[in-house]
Amino acid sequence: MNKTKIIKIILASLSALLFLLSCFFMYDFYKCLSGFIANGFREPLKMLPLIVSYLLPVLCFLFFFYDTYNKNANNTAKIIYSCVVVAIAVFNLVGIITNFNLYASNNRLGVYESLPSIIISFPYDALVINSLLILLQGYNLFAIIKPNHKISKAKLSIKQTDTVNLNIVEYLPICILAILSFVFIGSSLCCFNAIENALYDAKYVFLALWELLIPLTSLLLIVFKVEKRNMPKKAKLITLLSAIVLNLVFGILLLVFELTTPGFIIHVGKPLFMIAFSVSLPIEMLVLIAIMLISTIIHTVKIVLLLKK
């Protein structure tokens, strides 16, 4: 195995890990935000460092993905990005340190136990996350200032630009889709915290799979543009058609379950759709349905264009 292939495998493994972490971080963000909403947006200075600490690494992953797999961002954009990340991370650290006694006390009482964490829970994980982000952005700024340094050359050597082909106008709405997808995927992966709901009603498993499969397949197919991959036309058509069928199956099952068991989501879906229950509006369910409809339309258009070719 040559060096280039090893680098590609390492980078793909790192990206997959960062993708998974982004799902958990967005789920943490989502849970903290739903609690903030449920409490009537009280004590924002105490809640914002908690909420933003989990959102910031996800935004960094989205920039990393664009810069690594799509197109090299220009130096001006990189400098602005790094400075903004450092400023937000410093804000988070100041807020955490200022309220550290409160956060540590809550930690001992188990307030943050429901947040999936990396070895350690809040506020300790947030201290690590924000500190690492500051160090990484310092690394990025050094690589820009010293373009001929070994660090800069090493950074350029691992990039796999043009792996995906997205212009900035496409990438911005894809980022919105990615952030929403991360929330749902993270929620689905953490559904075992309330797995007893499946014993009460097996449709809890259906809801968990709905959260996982629909956003994940939609995001991957839209980002990687399967219709432009170097693969047989038949394989492209089957892949896109399978995604449409998946959307239709979940849509039909959702309709059938709602007609036969009205309000089943209310009975078993609270652990999966927390904001909906905080504000008494089916926000998450409507977002998932919108993802299904939009992705089905996009996949259908792509199939039509492929058949015309």
Side-chain angles (χ1 to χ4, degrees):
M1 188 180 295
N2 59 40
K3 186 178 178 180
T4 303
K5 196 166 185 179
I6 293 172
I7 290 173
K8 284 185 177 181
I9 292 172
I10 293 172
L11 184 61
S13 302
L14 174 63
S15 301
L17 176 62
L18 293 176
F19 177 89
L20 183 62
L21 290 176
S22 294
C23 293
F24 287 125
F25 286 144
M26 274 309 300
Y27 178 65
D28 286 339
F29 166 81
Y30 165 67
K31 289 200 77 173
C32 295
L33 181 63
S34 63
F36 189 38
I37 293 171
N39 288 328
F41 301 98
R42 289 193 292 270
E43 299 183 317
L45 292 179
K46 292 178 181 177
M47 287 299 297
L48 284 177
L50 168 60
I51 293 170
V52 179
S53 288
Y54 292 124
L55 177 62
L56 187 57
V58 178
L59 300 180
C60 291
F61 170 71
L62 295 174
F63 186 91
F64 160 81
F65 185 87
Y66 181 89
D67 186 54
T68 303
Y69 289 102
N70 189 53
K71 182 181 179 182
N72 281 322
N74 62 55
N75 286 344
T76 303
K78 288 178 183 178
I79 291 170
I80 294 172
Y81 155 75
S82 293
C83 291
V84 169
V85 170
V86 169
I88 296 174
V90 169
F91 165 80
N92 291 337
L93 286 176
V94 170
I96 293 167
I97 293 169
T98 302
N99 299 289
F100 188 79
N101 289 335
L102 172 65
Y103 296 141
S105 175
N106 286 343
N107 180 286
R108 289 191 294 272
L109 293 172
V111 173
Y112 308 121
E113 282 183 357
S114 63
L115 300 177
S117 57
I118 311 165
I119 304 175
I120 50 177
S121 59
F122 188 85
Y124 309 104
D125 61 344
L127 289 172
V128 173
I129 290 167
N130 287 294
S131 299
L132 279 176
L133 289 178
I134 291 172
L135 290 174
L136 286 171
Q137 298 317 312
Y139 170 95
N140 287 338
L141 289 170
F142 183 80
I144 295 169
I145 296 168
K146 298 283 186 180
N148 295 321
H149 195 273
K150 288 182 180 179
I151 289 178
S152 303
K153 292 178 180 178
K155 190 176 175 183
L156 287 171
S157 68
I158 67 169
K159 289 192 174 182
Q160 307 295 325
T161 49
D162 299 324
T163 301
V164 297
N165 184 20
L166 300 165
N167 59 51
I168 192 67
V169 176
E170 290 177 301
Y171 198 67
L172 291 177
I174 284 175
C175 284
I176 297 173
L177 172 62
I179 286 172
L180 295 172
S181 298
F182 291 162
V183 170
F184 291 124
I185 294 168
S187 176
S188 179
L189 293 175
C190 295
C191 71
F192 295 102
N193 291 334
I195 196 63
E196 63 273 9
N197 279 9
L199 301 175
Y200 170 72
D201 191 332
K203 289 189 283 294
Y204 179 78
V205 177
F206 162 78
L207 292 176
L209 290 175
W210 184 35
E211 275 197 324
L212 174 66
L213 296 178
I214 296 303
L216 182 61
T217 55
S218 299
L219 180 63
L220 291 178
L221 290 180
I222 290 173
V223 169
F224 288 100
K225 294 186 177 180
V226 66
E227 73 281 2
K228 293 185 178 181
R229 297 288 103 184
N230 185 20
M231 55 193 292
K233 181 178 178 180
K234 186 177 179 181
K236 297 176 183 179
L237 291 170
I238 290 173
T239 302
L240 291 169
L241 187 59
S242 299
I244 292 174
V245 170
L246 184 70
N247 285 340
L248 289 174
V249 167
F250 273 95
I252 292 169
L253 286 175
L254 181 67
L255 181 62
V256 170
F257 290 150
E258 188 59 38
L259 290 174
T260 55
T261 316
F264 80 97
I265 296 178
I266 297 173
H267 298 299
V268 295
K270 188 174 182 179
L272 301 171
F273 308 112
M274 286 167 291
I275 290 181
F277 286 88
S278 297
V279 297
S280 300
L281 292 172
I283 295 173
E284 291 99 335
M285 290 75 89
L286 292 175
V287 171
L288 273 170
I289 291 170
I291 290 174
M292 291 169 65
L293 291 174
I294 293 170
S295 62
T296 298
I297 292 169
I298 292 172
H299 300 331
T300 303
V301 170
K302 289 178 177 180
I303 287 174
V304 171
L305 294 175
L306 278 171
L307 291 173
K308 282 186 177 181
K309 287 182 181 180

